Amino acid sequence: MAPIYQVRKYRDDLCHARQVELPVRVVGSGVHEPSREVTSAQLDLLYGRPPGTTEGRSGVVTRRWATETETSSMMAAQAVSRALDAAGMGVDDLDALIVATVVPEQPMPTTAVLTLRELGARGGRTEAFDVNSSCLGFLTGVEIAASALAVGRWETVAVVATEVASKGLDHTDVEASALFGDGAAAAVLVRDPASAVLGLRFGHWPEAAESSTIAAGGTRWNVRTPPPDERAYLFAMDGPALLRATMRHLPRFLAGLAEQTGFGLDEADLVVPHQASAAGLRLLGRLGVPEERVMDILADHGNQVAASVPTALHHAVTTGRLTRGDRVVLLGSGAGLGLGAVVLRY
């Protein structure tokens, strides 16, 4: 039986399905895993849940949470430094640094600027800015970097996602608090025709905007205009609604991706998905992707928000799951609902 997304072409949803092949190569990756390990059994005990509740609801056995000294910029700098080491480069080789994060370290200056300071970068050498597209942030950063590299705007770019989700969890809600881990992960990209970005595709369906939120902390509700409930400062999620929206739109999205690249998700050598949830990862099997071709690190990392995809990519490289010449699909979903994919010939 053909995968769901190959049954027919969805011509009404292929507006972004232009063939692209950008001469861009990933030359190094790195991660920072926070020092505090938190097991699901510990969370059951801490919040008075029946034993096995947290793991059963989330599929996560253990995850890492940042300590007070592990800031977003510190974690990002560690990940970038390790990615540069893997590439045989230094910070002053970077033309640009793109930092993806859902909640920045502080409103100003950007987490990217703070990360450059942590790295000891020479002033005036490197452009630096943040992007926020929820859990798609790393993929958005790669899209920006690849496009600029392809036209010669930059020669070397680091894209890093850094997340401290643990500080925004509502532990009275098992679904919202059981799943998430902290961390940072980076990739160094260069202009190089030996490898290529074979496809880029993104789309958003804002009818699902209320399914995954942090309502307060911006210009609507803050210390000057407090929200009616202080839990508005914490993460809230309607997981079933978000999964239903994903199931409704993902087949059309993947049809467009297959049209663009000339091959289906099930034909990729490896799929590196956002570690959204155990149910979300199982959805790939329903779409015809063999389990052995899916990079699944959920059980010992949790959902690391924008850092999930680059962390899984790093583990794919370092464990040998991904080798040069392989076709890999980096696949993400995020609040909004947002869907995104970057297809690489690694």
Side-chain angles (χ1 to χ4, degrees), residues 19-166:
Q19 182 66 33
V20 296
E21 186 162 325
L22 307 179
V24 175
R25 182 180 179 92
V26 177
V27 293
S29 64
V31 300
H32 174 80
E33 296 191 351
S35 54
R36 181 186 175 194
E37 183 175 6
V38 180
T39 68
S40 288
Q42 288 173 325
L43 291 179
D44 286 339
L45 185 63
L46 184 61
Y47 296 108
R49 302 167 184 163
T53 299
T54 301
E55 182 179 342
R57 292 286 291 272
S58 66
V60 181
V61 178
T62 187
R63 79 284 286 150
R64 301 278 180 157
W65 283 358
T67 63
E68 290 186 1
T69 60
E70 290 173 304
T71 63
S72 297
S73 60
M74 171 268 184
M75 295 196 307
Q78 289 290 317
V80 170
S81 180
R82 288 163 185 158
L84 288 168
D85 286 345
M89 297 178 178
V91 64
D92 288 330
D93 292 311
L94 292 177
D95 298 309
L97 171 67
I98 302 174
V99 174
T101 185
V102 171
V103 179
E105 185 167 320
Q106 60 191 57
M108 291 192 298
T110 64
T111 304
V113 168
L114 299 177
T115 300
L116 276 185
R117 184 176 66 182
E118 288 276 349
L119 286 165
R122 177 162 52 92
R125 171 67 181 85
T126 305
E127 184 175 350
F129 56 89
D130 290 2
V131 297
N132 180 3
S133 54
S134 183
C135 301
L136 294 176
F138 177 77
L139 298 184
T140 301
V142 170
E143 179 189 29
I144 295 168
S147 300
L149 288 165
V151 299
R153 173 74 174 82
W154 301 318
E155 293 296 326
T156 306
V157 183
V159 181
V160 59
T162 181
E163 301 286 12
V164 186
S166 60

Side-chain angles (χ1 to χ4, degrees), residues 159-180:
V159 181
V160 59
T162 181
E163 301 286 12
V164 186
S166 60
K167 292 191 177 183
L169 299 180
D170 180 357
H171 293 289
T172 66
D173 180 350
V174 177
E175 182 181 42
S177 71
L179 184 59
F180 292 90

